[in-house]
Amino acid sequence: MGLGTERRLLDNNDGGLSDDPYLSDSDDPEASAILFDADYDHDDTVAPLMLRRLVPRGGQGGGGPSRDDGGDNSGGHGQSASFLPRPDPAMPVYITIHRIRRLVIAAVNDNYTLEELRAPRLDRLVVRPLVDRLYNPNDPAIVYSLLANRVQFLRPRAHELLQQTVNESRATLCELLAIRILRRFHEDHTGRSGLLLLAHILVSGFDPCDAAPEVIRARRPQWAVQERGGHERKLTGLELAIISESKLFIGSPACQRVVDAVYRGIVVYTPLSFVDILPDHYKHHPVSLYEPRRAAILNHHRLIVPRIRNGIELLHFIVLLVLYMLTVTHYGFGKHLAGLHVNTYETLFNVFAAGWVLEQFAAIVEHGWEVHAQNLWSFLDITFVFIYGAYGLVRTVELLISSDAFYAMPVLCTAAPVLLTRIAFTLMPDNIVFIALHAMMRDFTRLTFIAIWCFAGFVMGLLLLARTTGDEKLEGSVTWATITKWLLWIWFGLDGTGIERASDFHIILGPTLIITFAFLGNTLFLTILVAILTNTFSKIISNEAAEIQFRRAVLTFQGVKSDAIFSYPPPFNLLALLIMLPLKWFVGPVVFHHVNVAVIRAVNAPLLLLIGLWERRRIWGGRRGRNSRWRKWKYFAGLNPHGDIQNIFSAEPPPEVMDALEKMDVLSDIVVIDRELASARSPRPSSASGSGSGTPLSSISVRRRKMSDSSSLRRFEGADR
């Protein structure tokens, strides 16, 4: 079925979105008809400002009416929804995916780099014809299908090892096509409706088995599927871009526009997830624009806005760190209750840390480890979870054995480097050093695992050699721990006892094994390690902007939570797990939803009230919020010797100045050069109708592109008629 566009008129036009740089009315001819979905629940609302509700494929995307409309398809408050006619219907996702795969395989049969694909010749012969063939303004799933093919081409397969480099080139072509097509959507749909369309393309879920044969559907993996009202087994284009590490695609202006809008809470939607610990899928809110003045003052959906969610998680971690410091500094101080030594700070830490660990576990299972591992501090969180688990196990055993034992506290002390490092990662997520450290940790962990594997072989060989020498004194004094210590000292260059005692194992084979280990460990392994880490760091530094934008997209995608367990702060999430989850099995979805929402609002009432007032006054308050005294003092020019430069660009010139500038330079005569124009540029013979050797202006196709509130530029594409 085609893609419908639903338009509903607002009763009044007092929204606060006009101050957003992406959502100005003057650059969108359709912005005068602002649309509002009046069909929402006033007790549980995200107050969606529907500029375009993009209807899923197949009607409601899963059969049956949408739960947001209460089963009524006639629109809100008795108004029927009007759909614009779509002359070119979109194809099902399954067919689109295989169509793209067929075209890409036919177009690329050799190894090409990104620079080669961007070269003028390949761009003119391969890339631009594919973009023209695939682009369909009525098909929002085309970008999703391109990224799905990229994921498949990058997947290593044992029977296609010889084609792996070619498949990587095909994956690069898929990413390049996705960038170009998304840019066309961005240029052809401006203003608020364009933002909503781009958001639908990137964060709405699509089913890859849409219109697939029953044979394909029968071979789906049989993992547990939670009921989502027709949205099961769907993935988003942004998620595919993250797991395929499409950093150029994520760094494109169109994608960054959506990521920034989602991060700030302008675009809201119900996210899709793999598994939810505390699922509450009674309502599914489509992709929409948020208007705080029409939302409830205690809007619990704002808890999953990435910017707000990141601040909440930072606060949770600071509380965890403070309780940890109080626990380890008050070591040994406590009271004896019923024969057990109880420390108040330790008890508070254990309860809060258990809730925090539950939150991390829910974050992992929500989108899978492949997405969670892209987070900068994911390896630090996992390390602390293992340390806390070991501490809990040892602490439980020592409480059962003796109340005066403190064997668990030394285990907990080893978490200090992890926690303090993690707070630095959290405070500076855009720091390129931390981004490079996260990438290098993967390479370092992989090489360390290989080194430990080989290291264990040398330990086992020397231990067996000691037992076969017949020297009982050596066999009794040399253990695997002693051999391990000697080899570690040799590896780090601290001590040569192992080399001195090598002849005790065997007069020939003992020194041979230890000298071989010294050469491999100190020379070969360290050289390879330094070379790989240097290469990784240089790649990240050379593409610093894309790396930062990619990590910000990961934080944004993970910040929009689907699981209701995230709405309960630690340690209340433990109570929710013990009370609300069993309650779900005894009541219906409607009753559970209302009870869950009421409890969430009661637990987070002060925070929700603060968020509602802050958004109304500071973010969406208009010019009065921007011209506050604090901002005047913050940017006071007298405190900055270069303040005059900033001051002249702080506001647009007056109309008389703009009129004088327009008379001097007519912007419609300026050629705006972009990458496609530069790629298509080639020497042409002189035309009889023009002067010089260039292409005459009359033979160049012109397309209008909106640039600002006050003027527009023309983009000239050098394409001959």
Side-chain angles (χ1 to χ4, degrees):
M1 295 182 62
L3 182 66
T5 303
E6 179 182 353
R7 294 188 170 273
R8 300 175 182 174
L9 295 178
L10 277 172
D11 296 331
N12 49 51
N13 191 15
D14 59 346
L17 290 173
S18 59
D19 294 320
D20 188 87
Y22 292 141
L23 303 175
S24 61
D25 293 339
S26 58
D27 65 342
D28 186 11
E30 302 172 349
S32 58
I34 305 175
L35 306 175
F36 174 66
D37 186 9
D39 222 2
Y40 64 89
D41 187 358
H42 291 273
D43 295 329
D44 176 28
T45 177
V46 295
L49 181 63
M50 298 298 297
L51 301 178
R52 286 186 181 182
R53 173 176 288 187
L54 303 175
V55 179
R57 300 174 182 274
Q60 294 294 338
S66 172
R67 288 179 176 173
D68 292 331
D69 298 332
D72 184 12
N73 294 330
S74 61
H77 297 287
Q79 298 177 0
S80 60
S82 60
F83 297 92
L84 297 180
R86 308 304 255 178
D88 187 13
M91 293 186 298
V93 179
Y94 177 80
I95 298 177
T96 303
I97 290 176
H98 282 278
R99 179 196 180 198
I100 292 173
R101 179 176 177 83
R102 181 170 173 266
L103 291 174
V104 172
I105 291 178
V108 178
N109 286 320
D110 204 350
N111 184 22
Y112 296 98
T113 63
L114 178 63
E115 291 73 16
E116 292 174 339
L117 290 175
R118 281 179 166 178
R121 182 172 179 273
L122 288 182
D123 182 84
R124 184 175 63 256
L125 297 178
V126 177
V127 179
R128 299 189 69 183
L130 286 177
V131 172
D132 296 335
R133 180 186 294 269
L134 294 175
Y135 176 68
N136 183 0
N138 306 322
D139 189 2
I142 187 67
V143 175
Y144 170 89
S145 303
L146 285 166
L147 295 174
N149 276 278
R150 173 175 168 81
V151 172
Q152 181 65 19
F153 282 130
L154 292 177
R155 192 183 308 277
R157 291 176 293 273
H159 61 282
E160 295 183 2
L161 292 179
L162 298 178
Q163 294 291 325
Q164 188 61 35
T165 56
V166 179
N167 287 335
E168 292 177 358
S169 301
R170 292 166 178 168
T172 304
L173 178 60
C174 289
E175 182 181 8
L176 188 58
L177 293 176
I179 295 173
R180 297 285 183 86
I181 291 178
L182 187 65
R183 184 170 68 177
R184 286 199 177 185
F185 277 108
H186 188 198
E187 294 173 350
D188 294 344
H189 304 82
T190 58
R192 302 180 181 184
S193 57
L195 175 61
L196 197 60
L197 176 61
L198 293 178
H200 177 75
I201 293 173
L202 292 179
V203 299
S204 287
F206 297 96
D207 187 2
C209 292
D210 179 23
E214 291 298 330
V215 179
I216 302 298
R217 291 178 174 269
R219 293 188 302 189
R220 279 184 162 187
Q222 298 301 317
W223 47 269
V225 178
Q226 295 175 337
E227 181 65 28
R228 296 180 183 273
H231 297 275
E232 299 85 4
R233 296 181 180 273
K234 290 186 177 181
L235 297 174
T236 64
L238 185 59
E239 183 175 0
L240 294 182
I242 290 175
I243 64 177
S244 63
E245 297 188 0
S246 303
K247 299 177 181 178
L248 292 178
F249 174 81
I250 292 178
S252 62
C255 185
Q256 282 299 305
R257 180 186 180 187
V258 176
V259 170
D260 183 72
V262 174
Y263 180 79
R264 295 192 292 160
I266 298 175
V267 172
V268 293
Y269 61 97
T270 298
L272 305 174
S273 61
F274 181 68
V275 175
D276 290 341
I277 296 179
L278 186 62
D280 184 8
H281 302 145
Y282 172 67
K283 288 189 176 182
H284 184 89
H285 298 282
V287 178
S288 55
L289 300 182
Y290 178 72
E291 169 47 49
R293 296 185 184 276
R294 290 182 170 83
I297 189 64
L298 297 180
N299 189 0
H300 66 283
H301 292 284
R302 303 308 286 173
L303 295 174
I304 63 173
V305 172
R307 177 166 59 179
I308 299 175
R309 185 67 201 173
N310 292 338
I312 294 175
E313 292 181 352
L314 176 60
L315 180 62
H316 292 170
F317 187 79
I318 291 176
V319 174
L320 177 68
L321 181 60
V322 170
L323 292 177
Y324 170 82
M325 299 301 296
L326 292 175
T327 300
V328 296
T329 54
H330 290 77
Y331 162 72
F333 299 95
K335 298 180 180 180
H336 288 272
L337 298 176
L340 297 178
H341 188 83
V342 179
N343 189 325
T344 304
Y345 294 115
E346 183 181 6
T347 303
L348 294 176
F349 168 75
N350 288 331
V351 174
F352 191 87
W356 188 84
V357 170
L358 175 61
E359 194 174 66
Q360 300 307 311
F361 177 75
I364 294 175
V365 301
E366 186 176 29
H367 296 292
W369 173 252
E370 192 171 3
V371 175
H372 185 75
Q374 298 293 343
N375 198 330
L376 281 183
W377 47 82
S378 59
F379 67 98
L380 296 174
D381 292 343
I382 294 300
T383 304
F384 175 77
V385 168
F386 278 109
I387 294 176
Y388 178 74
Y391 156 77
L393 180 62
V394 176
R395 184 59 172 161
T396 303
V397 173
E398 73 179 12
L399 288 177
L400 296 176
I401 296 176
S402 174
S403 60
D404 295 329
F406 292 97
Y407 300 106
M409 194 56 62
V411 178
L412 187 62
C413 292
T414 59
V418 177
L419 294 177
L420 294 178
T421 305
R422 208 271 199 185
I423 195 69
F425 272 78
T426 308
L427 293 175
M428 294 181 288
D430 296 337
N431 192 293
I432 192 61
V433 176
F434 291 146
I435 295 176
L437 184 61
H438 172 266
M440 290 189 294
M441 279 299 299
R442 291 184 297 179
D443 297 333
F444 180 78
T445 303
R446 189 182 302 112
L447 289 175
T448 302
F449 177 77
I450 297 174
I452 292 175
W453 192 295
C454 300
F455 181 82
F458 281 96
V459 173
M460 180 62 68
L462 291 173
L463 184 61
L464 295 178
L465 192 61
R467 293 184 178 181
T468 57
T469 57
D471 190 348
E472 297 180 358
K473 181 178 180 180
L474 179 63
E475 183 179 355
S477 61
V478 176
T479 61
W480 66 270
T482 304
I483 298 175
T484 301
K485 181 184 67 175
W486 289 347
L487 294 182
L488 280 177
W489 289 173
I490 294 174
W491 191 4
F492 294 115
L494 301 177
D495 186 66
T497 305
I499 298 178
E500 295 177 358
R501 299 288 301 274
S503 59
D504 295 341
F505 294 93
H506 192 278
I507 192 171
I508 298 177
L509 300 180
T512 302
L513 283 177
I514 292 184
I515 296 299
T516 303
F517 171 80
F519 272 108
L520 293 178
N522 288 0
T523 305
L524 182 61
F525 177 78
L526 290 181
T527 302
I528 295 175
L529 178 63
V530 171
I532 291 179
L533 296 183
T534 303
N535 184 45
T536 302
F537 185 77
S538 62
K539 288 182 179 179
I540 293 176
I541 291 297
S542 62
N543 201 17
E544 178 179 355
E547 292 288 342
I548 294 176
Q549 292 168 348
F550 177 76
R551 299 303 167 186
R552 190 166 184 264
V554 172
L555 284 178
T556 302
F557 178 75
Q558 292 183 339
V560 186
K561 304 295 185 181
S562 171
D563 198 340
I565 199 71
F566 292 104
S567 299
Y568 296 91
F572 293 100
N573 54 358
L574 297 175
L575 298 177
L577 185 65
L578 297 177
I579 299 175
M580 299 299 296
L581 187 59
L583 179 65
K584 184 178 177 61
W585 305 104
F586 295 99
V587 298
V590 179
V591 176
F592 176 78
H593 173 73
H594 289 293
V595 172
N596 184 43
V597 170
V599 175
I600 290 174
R601 289 178 174 177
V603 172
N604 299 278
L607 179 61
L608 292 177
L609 181 61
L610 181 63
I611 292 173
L613 296 177
W614 176 66
E615 286 184 338
R616 283 163 171 78
R617 180 173 178 82
R618 301 288 297 181
I619 303 302
W620 312 93
R623 297 184 179 274
R624 183 175 57 184
R626 291 201 307 267
N627 297 329
S628 61
R629 288 186 176 181
W630 169 252
R631 286 184 174 270
K632 287 184 178 181
W633 278 101
K634 183 177 180 181
Y635 298 109
F636 184 56
L639 300 179
N640 186 359
H642 311 105
D644 292 341
I645 302 298
Q646 184 178 358
N647 184 37
I648 64 173
F649 292 104
S650 60
E652 292 290 336
E656 56 272 13
V657 176
M658 294 299 298
D659 293 339
L661 294 178
E662 184 67 23
K663 292 179 180 179
M664 296 179 188
D665 304 295
V666 180
L667 294 183
S668 59
D669 296 335
I670 304 299
V671 176
V672 180
I673 302 177
D674 60 3
R675 184 176 297 276
E676 289 188 4
L677 180 60
S679 300
R681 184 177 55 191
S682 59
R684 292 185 176 92
S686 301
S687 175
S689 60
S691 60
S693 59
T695 303
L697 188 63
S698 59
S699 64
I700 299 180
S701 61
V702 179
R703 181 169 60 180
R704 303 284 297 182
R705 182 177 63 178
K706 303 297 181 182
M707 297 295 294
S708 63
D709 297 341
S710 59
S711 62
S712 61
L713 299 180
R714 290 184 178 180
R715 182 163 66 88
F716 296 85
E717 294 181 347
D720 293 337
R721 290 183 178 179

mmCIF file of all heavy atoms in Angstrom, residues 585-608:
data_model
loop_
_atom_site.group_PDB
_atom_site.id
_atom_site.type_symbol
_atom_site.label_atom_id
_atom_site.label_comp_id
_atom_site.label_asym_id
_atom_site.label_seq_id
_atom_site.Cartn_x
_atom_site.Cartn_y
_atom_site.Cartn_z
ATOM 1 N N TRP A 585 0.318 -10.258 35.713
ATOM 2 C CA TRP A 585 -0.280 -11.538 35.361
ATOM 3 C C TRP A 585 -1.681 -11.718 35.949
ATOM 4 O O TRP A 585 -2.368 -12.672 35.605
ATOM 5 C CB TRP A 585 0.608 -12.681 35.827
ATOM 6 C CG TRP A 585 2.000 -12.572 35.303
ATOM 7 C CD1 TRP A 585 3.105 -12.170 35.968
ATOM 8 C CD2 TRP A 585 2.437 -12.877 33.975
ATOM 9 N NE1 TRP A 585 4.209 -12.186 35.164
ATOM 10 C CE2 TRP A 585 3.838 -12.627 33.924
ATOM 11 C CE3 TRP A 585 1.783 -13.333 32.820
ATOM 12 C CZ2 TRP A 585 4.578 -12.812 32.767
ATOM 13 C CZ3 TRP A 585 2.534 -13.516 31.669
ATOM 14 C CH2 TRP A 585 3.910 -13.263 31.647
ATOM 15 N N PHE A 586 -2.121 -10.806 36.815
ATOM 16 C CA PHE A 586 -3.423 -10.946 37.463
ATOM 17 C C PHE A 586 -4.433 -9.903 36.988
ATOM 18 O O PHE A 586 -5.620 -10.037 37.282
ATOM 19 C CB PHE A 586 -3.269 -10.837 38.991
ATOM 20 C CG PHE A 586 -2.458 -11.950 39.594
ATOM 21 C CD1 PHE A 586 -1.118 -11.754 39.903
ATOM 22 C CD2 PHE A 586 -3.021 -13.190 39.848
ATOM 23 C CE1 PHE A 586 -0.361 -12.764 40.454
ATOM 24 C CE2 PHE A 586 -2.269 -14.211 40.401
ATOM 25 C CZ PHE A 586 -0.942 -14.007 40.708
ATOM 26 N N VAL A 587 -3.991 -8.872 36.306
ATOM 27 C CA VAL A 587 -4.904 -7.837 35.824
ATOM 28 C C VAL A 587 -4.743 -7.705 34.315
ATOM 29 O O VAL A 587 -3.764 -8.184 33.724
ATOM 30 C CB VAL A 587 -4.630 -6.478 36.518
ATOM 31 C CG1 VAL A 587 -4.854 -6.589 38.022
ATOM 32 C CG2 VAL A 587 -3.220 -5.986 36.227
ATOM 33 N N GLY A 588 -5.685 -7.034 33.705
ATOM 34 C CA GLY A 588 -5.638 -6.823 32.271
ATOM 35 C C GLY A 588 -4.656 -5.733 31.879
ATOM 36 O O GLY A 588 -4.138 -4.992 32.727
ATOM 37 N N PRO A 589 -4.380 -5.580 30.574
ATOM 38 C CA PRO A 589 -3.409 -4.566 30.136
ATOM 39 C C PRO A 589 -3.854 -3.141 30.430
ATOM 40 O O PRO A 589 -3.027 -2.278 30.709
ATOM 41 C CB PRO A 589 -3.286 -4.822 28.627
ATOM 42 C CG PRO A 589 -4.527 -5.563 28.253
ATOM 43 C CD PRO A 589 -4.910 -6.365 29.445
ATOM 44 N N VAL A 590 -5.176 -2.874 30.395
ATOM 45 C CA VAL A 590 -5.650 -1.513 30.658
ATOM 46 C C VAL A 590 -5.440 -1.151 32.122
ATOM 47 O O VAL A 590 -4.914 -0.077 32.452
ATOM 48 C CB VAL A 590 -7.139 -1.379 30.264
ATOM 49 C CG1 VAL A 590 -7.634 0.030 30.549
ATOM 50 C CG2 VAL A 590 -7.343 -1.731 28.801
ATOM 51 N N VAL A 591 -5.838 -2.045 33.020
ATOM 52 C CA VAL A 591 -5.682 -1.783 34.449
ATOM 53 C C VAL A 591 -4.206 -1.674 34.812
ATOM 54 O O VAL A 591 -3.799 -0.771 35.561
ATOM 55 C CB VAL A 591 -6.377 -2.890 35.272
ATOM 56 C CG1 VAL A 591 -6.138 -2.673 36.767
ATOM 57 C CG2 VAL A 591 -7.867 -2.915 34.968
ATOM 58 N N PHE A 592 -3.388 -2.584 34.274
ATOM 59 C CA PHE A 592 -1.958 -2.530 34.594
ATOM 60 C C PHE A 592 -1.334 -1.232 34.088
ATOM 61 O O PHE A 592 -0.479 -0.642 34.764
ATOM 62 C CB PHE A 592 -1.246 -3.730 33.976
ATOM 63 C CG PHE A 592 0.243 -3.705 34.180
ATOM 64 C CD1 PHE A 592 0.804 -4.066 35.388
ATOM 65 C CD2 PHE A 592 1.092 -3.297 33.156
ATOM 66 C CE1 PHE A 592 2.178 -4.044 35.590
ATOM 67 C CE2 PHE A 592 2.468 -3.254 33.338
ATOM 68 C CZ PHE A 592 3.006 -3.644 34.562
ATOM 69 N N HIS A 593 -1.741 -0.785 32.914
ATOM 70 C CA HIS A 593 -1.179 0.447 32.367
ATOM 71 C C HIS A 593 -1.498 1.640 33.273
ATOM 72 O O HIS A 593 -0.609 2.447 33.587
ATOM 73 C CB HIS A 593 -1.727 0.689 30.966
ATOM 74 C CG HIS A 593 -1.352 2.000 30.380
ATOM 75 N ND1 HIS A 593 -0.080 2.297 29.932
ATOM 76 C CD2 HIS A 593 -2.089 3.140 30.187
ATOM 77 C CE1 HIS A 593 -0.039 3.535 29.483
ATOM 78 N NE2 HIS A 593 -1.242 4.068 29.621
ATOM 79 N N HIS A 594 -2.753 1.760 33.703
ATOM 80 C CA HIS A 594 -3.131 2.895 34.541
ATOM 81 C C HIS A 594 -2.463 2.818 35.913
ATOM 82 O O HIS A 594 -2.037 3.858 36.453
ATOM 83 C CB HIS A 594 -4.652 2.950 34.685
ATOM 84 C CG HIS A 594 -5.358 3.374 33.431
ATOM 85 N ND1 HIS A 594 -5.242 4.644 32.901
ATOM 86 C CD2 HIS A 594 -6.188 2.704 32.585
ATOM 87 C CE1 HIS A 594 -5.966 4.746 31.800
ATOM 88 N NE2 HIS A 594 -6.550 3.576 31.586
ATOM 89 N N VAL A 595 -2.364 1.629 36.473
ATOM 90 C CA VAL A 595 -1.682 1.486 37.759
ATOM 91 C C VAL A 595 -0.199 1.813 37.615
ATOM 92 O O VAL A 595 0.386 2.517 38.454
ATOM 93 C CB VAL A 595 -1.878 0.057 38.317
ATOM 94 C CG1 VAL A 595 -1.008 -0.167 39.554
ATOM 95 C CG2 VAL A 595 -3.339 -0.187 38.653
ATOM 96 N N ASN A 596 0.422 1.329 36.550
ATOM 97 C CA ASN A 596 1.845 1.578 36.324
ATOM 98 C C ASN A 596 2.119 3.069 36.145
ATOM 99 O O ASN A 596 3.071 3.614 36.720
ATOM 100 C CB ASN A 596 2.305 0.793 35.099
ATOM 101 C CG ASN A 596 3.792 0.916 34.852
ATOM 102 O OD1 ASN A 596 4.605 0.847 35.765
ATOM 103 N ND2 ASN A 596 4.163 1.112 33.599
ATOM 104 N N VAL A 597 1.287 3.751 35.363
ATOM 105 C CA VAL A 597 1.472 5.187 35.144
ATOM 106 C C VAL A 597 1.282 5.964 36.443
ATOM 107 O O VAL A 597 2.043 6.892 36.755
ATOM 108 C CB VAL A 597 0.509 5.684 34.057
ATOM 109 C CG1 VAL A 597 0.513 7.205 33.979
ATOM 110 C CG2 VAL A 597 0.879 5.094 32.704
ATOM 111 N N ALA A 598 0.289 5.585 37.232
ATOM 112 C CA ALA A 598 0.044 6.278 38.496
ATOM 113 C C ALA A 598 1.209 6.115 39.457
ATOM 114 O O ALA A 598 1.630 7.080 40.118
ATOM 115 C CB ALA A 598 -1.249 5.757 39.125
ATOM 116 N N VAL A 599 1.763 4.907 39.532
ATOM 117 C CA VAL A 599 2.891 4.670 40.435
ATOM 118 C C VAL A 599 4.132 5.419 39.954
ATOM 119 O O VAL A 599 4.870 6.013 40.752
ATOM 120 C CB VAL A 599 3.162 3.161 40.560
ATOM 121 C CG1 VAL A 599 4.409 2.910 41.403
ATOM 122 C CG2 VAL A 599 1.973 2.454 41.185
ATOM 123 N N ILE A 600 4.372 5.424 38.645
ATOM 124 C CA ILE A 600 5.539 6.130 38.106
ATOM 125 C C ILE A 600 5.443 7.625 38.401
ATOM 126 O O ILE A 600 6.418 8.260 38.806
ATOM 127 C CB ILE A 600 5.663 5.872 36.595
ATOM 128 C CG1 ILE A 600 6.063 4.417 36.330
ATOM 129 C CG2 ILE A 600 6.684 6.810 35.958
ATOM 130 C CD1 ILE A 600 6.074 4.052 34.860
ATOM 131 N N ARG A 601 4.264 8.200 38.205
ATOM 132 C CA ARG A 601 4.099 9.629 38.483
ATOM 133 C C ARG A 601 4.238 9.933 39.966
ATOM 134 O O ARG A 601 4.768 10.993 40.337
ATOM 135 C CB ARG A 601 2.745 10.090 37.967
ATOM 136 C CG ARG A 601 2.663 10.133 36.452
ATOM 137 C CD ARG A 601 1.285 10.561 35.988
ATOM 138 N NE ARG A 601 1.253 10.728 34.533
ATOM 139 C CZ ARG A 601 0.156 11.042 33.847
ATOM 140 N NH1 ARG A 601 -0.992 11.217 34.484
ATOM 141 N NH2 ARG A 601 0.205 11.180 32.535
ATOM 142 N N ALA A 602 3.788 9.026 40.815
ATOM 143 C CA ALA A 602 3.917 9.256 42.253
ATOM 144 C C ALA A 602 5.374 9.185 42.694
ATOM 145 O O ALA A 602 5.828 10.002 43.503
ATOM 146 C CB ALA A 602 3.077 8.238 43.024
ATOM 147 N N VAL A 603 6.125 8.237 42.154
ATOM 148 C CA VAL A 603 7.525 8.083 42.541
ATOM 149 C C VAL A 603 8.372 9.232 42.013
ATOM 150 O O VAL A 603 9.267 9.739 42.703
ATOM 151 C CB VAL A 603 8.067 6.719 42.039
ATOM 152 C CG1 VAL A 603 9.567 6.618 42.258
ATOM 153 C CG2 VAL A 603 7.361 5.579 42.749
ATOM 154 N N ASN A 604 8.079 9.688 40.795
ATOM 155 C CA ASN A 604 8.893 10.727 40.149
ATOM 156 C C ASN A 604 8.218 12.086 40.144
ATOM 157 O O ASN A 604 8.566 12.937 39.316
ATOM 158 C CB ASN A 604 9.202 10.320 38.706
ATOM 159 C CG ASN A 604 9.973 9.028 38.605
ATOM 160 O OD1 ASN A 604 11.186 8.993 38.751
ATOM 161 N ND2 ASN A 604 9.252 7.931 38.339
ATOM 162 N N ALA A 605 7.249 12.319 41.033
ATOM 163 C CA ALA A 605 6.480 13.563 41.007
ATOM 164 C C ALA A 605 7.346 14.810 41.102
ATOM 165 O O ALA A 605 7.187 15.737 40.289
ATOM 166 C CB ALA A 605 5.425 13.541 42.120
ATOM 167 N N PRO A 606 8.280 14.925 42.045
ATOM 168 C CA PRO A 606 9.103 16.157 42.082
ATOM 169 C C PRO A 606 9.922 16.373 40.812
ATOM 170 O O PRO A 606 10.007 17.494 40.301
ATOM 171 C CB PRO A 606 10.003 15.931 43.310
ATOM 172 C CG PRO A 606 9.288 14.926 44.136
ATOM 173 C CD PRO A 606 8.597 14.031 43.172
ATOM 174 N N LEU A 607 10.502 15.289 40.285
ATOM 175 C CA LEU A 607 11.311 15.413 39.078
ATOM 176 C C LEU A 607 10.453 15.772 37.874
ATOM 177 O O LEU A 607 10.830 16.626 37.054
ATOM 178 C CB LEU A 607 12.067 14.108 38.828
ATOM 179 C CG LEU A 607 12.954 14.053 37.586
ATOM 180 C CD1 LEU A 607 14.041 15.124 37.668
ATOM 181 C CD2 LEU A 607 13.578 12.673 37.424
ATOM 182 N N LEU A 608 9.285 15.141 37.727
ATOM 183 C CA LEU A 608 8.407 15.441 36.600
ATOM 184 C C LEU A 608 7.896 16.878 36.663
ATOM 185 O O LEU A 608 7.774 17.548 35.627
ATOM 186 C CB LEU A 608 7.236 14.462 36.578
ATOM 187 C CG LEU A 608 7.577 13.006 36.256
ATOM 188 C CD1 LEU A 608 6.330 12.141 36.343
ATOM 189 C CD2 LEU A 608 8.209 12.880 34.881
#
